[in-house]
């Protein structure tokens, strides 16, 4: 290679090297996005819990649930937490809570201003007989929507408000078996979790 070509190549690299780096980053990001889209976990293998309070040990919660529900093919556990006393509580509840949580834990004081039928499934007699016989329920317009949570059971993982709290099964969940919008009887992970934590 003669000197003129070396100088041209050197000048070219000196001025356009940022474009090579940006191009490499864009290609890597695009490949990562495509890989995640193609290999996304099915909804029934993930579990999201909305917690009105503070998650104190998310790692232990995740590990315990993954071990407990191996037979249900659970692969991912996530939480959304919001302090009921903070101004952004309702926003967190209605946007990520309603749209992505399988189970929502809500204190009774917040339920007075909510329409449970908007997000929670109706706990019909058959469901109560199969899973929640003898439990305490939250009723709205004479319909059972929530199941009282046993705070002692979840105490190692989360801190809840100093009042009664109820768990609600989100109507958009893929983990509520035959009660889901797209029912698959075997995909009933959320039903079992509420049974374990309820009272």
């Amino acid at each position: 290679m003669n000197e003129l070509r070396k100088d041209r190549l050197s000048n070219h690299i000196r001025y356009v090297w940022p474009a090579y780096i940006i191009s490499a980053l864009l290609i890597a990001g695009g490949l990562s996005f495509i890989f995640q889209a193609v290999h996304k976990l099915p909804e029934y293998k993930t579990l999201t819990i909305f917690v009105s309070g503070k998650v104190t040990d998310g790692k232990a919660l995740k590990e315990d649930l993954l071990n407990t529900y191996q037979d249900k093919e659970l692969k991912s556990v996530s939480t959304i937490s919001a302090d009921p006393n903070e101004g952004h509580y309702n926003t967190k509840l209605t946007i990520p809570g309603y749209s992505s949580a399988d189970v929502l834990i809500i204190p009774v004081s917040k339920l007075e201003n909510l329409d449970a039928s908007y997000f929670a499934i109706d706990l019909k007699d058959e469901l109560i007989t199969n899973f929640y016989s003898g439990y305490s329920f939250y009723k709205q317009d004479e319909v059972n929507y929530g199941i009282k949570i046993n705070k002692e059971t979840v105490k190692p993982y989360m801190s809840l408000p100093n009042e009664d709290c109820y768990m609600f099964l989100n109507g958009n969940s893929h983990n509520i078996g035959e009660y889901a919008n797209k029912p698959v009887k075997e995909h009933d992970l959320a039903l079992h979790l509420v049974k374990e934590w309820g009272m």
Side-chain angles (χ1 to χ4, degrees):
M1 185 180 290
N2 63 33
E3 284 300 314
L4 184 59
R5 283 188 179 175
K6 284 182 182 178
D7 286 343
R8 284 183 181 167
L9 182 60
S10 176
N11 285 335
H12 176 75
I13 291 173
R14 186 180 313 144
Y15 292 110
V16 298
W17 69 266
Y20 289 121
I21 291 175
I22 291 169
S23 297
L25 291 173
L26 288 174
I27 290 168
L31 290 174
S32 174
F33 175 79
I34 291 168
F35 181 81
Q36 288 177 0
V38 171
H39 292 81
K40 186 179 177 187
L41 272 176
E43 294 287 340
Y44 71 91
K45 292 186 179 185
T46 66
L47 183 69
T48 303
I49 305 164
F50 179 87
V51 178
S52 295
K54 183 178 180 184
V55 176
T56 53
D57 196 343
K59 184 178 178 184
L61 174 63
K62 181 178 180 177
E63 288 174 0
D64 289 351
L65 291 179
L66 288 174
N67 288 333
T68 302
Y69 296 110
Q70 279 181 340
D71 62 324
K72 297 283 181 191
E73 301 182 73
L74 181 62
K75 302 292 182 198
S76 173
V77 176
S78 61
T79 57
I80 303 163
S81 61
D83 185 339
N85 298 317
E86 292 184 0
H88 66 277
Y89 174 81
N90 286 335
T91 303
K92 270 191 146 178
L93 174 63
T94 55
I95 298 175
Y98 289 179
S99 63
S100 61
D102 297 292
V103 176
L104 299 107
I105 303 170
I106 305 173
V108 72
S109 62
K110 291 294 182 181
L111 292 168
E112 297 165 3
N113 301 319
L114 297 176
D115 181 0
S117 66
Y118 181 74
F119 60 91
I121 65 168
D122 173 356
L123 302 175
K124 298 190 184 297
D125 291 342
E126 177 195 356
L127 179 55
I128 291 172
T129 301
N130 291 339
F131 286 91
Y132 311 119
S133 184
Y135 285 47
S136 298
F137 301 100
Y138 174 79
K139 285 189 178 188
Q140 205 173 69
D141 299 325
E142 299 305 311
V143 177
N144 292 317
Y145 287 109
I147 295 152
K148 190 174 180 182
I149 192 167
N150 183 344
K151 291 184 182 180
E152 287 303 311
T153 303
V154 298
K155 194 174 182 180
Y157 315 119
M158 61 189 74
S159 174
L160 298 175
N162 191 21
E163 59 182 301
D164 288 342
C165 295
Y166 290 85
M167 295 177 288
F168 296 85
L169 294 159
N170 192 336
N172 294 322
S173 174
H174 292 264
N175 289 316
I176 52 176
E178 58 193 291
Y179 307 98
N181 293 333
K182 295 180 181 177
V184 179
K185 190 173 183 180
E186 294 76 24
H187 301 163
D188 58 357
L189 176 59
L191 301 178
H192 289 281
L193 176 71
V194 170
K195 183 178 182 179
E196 182 183 330
W197 286 1
M199 61 183 296

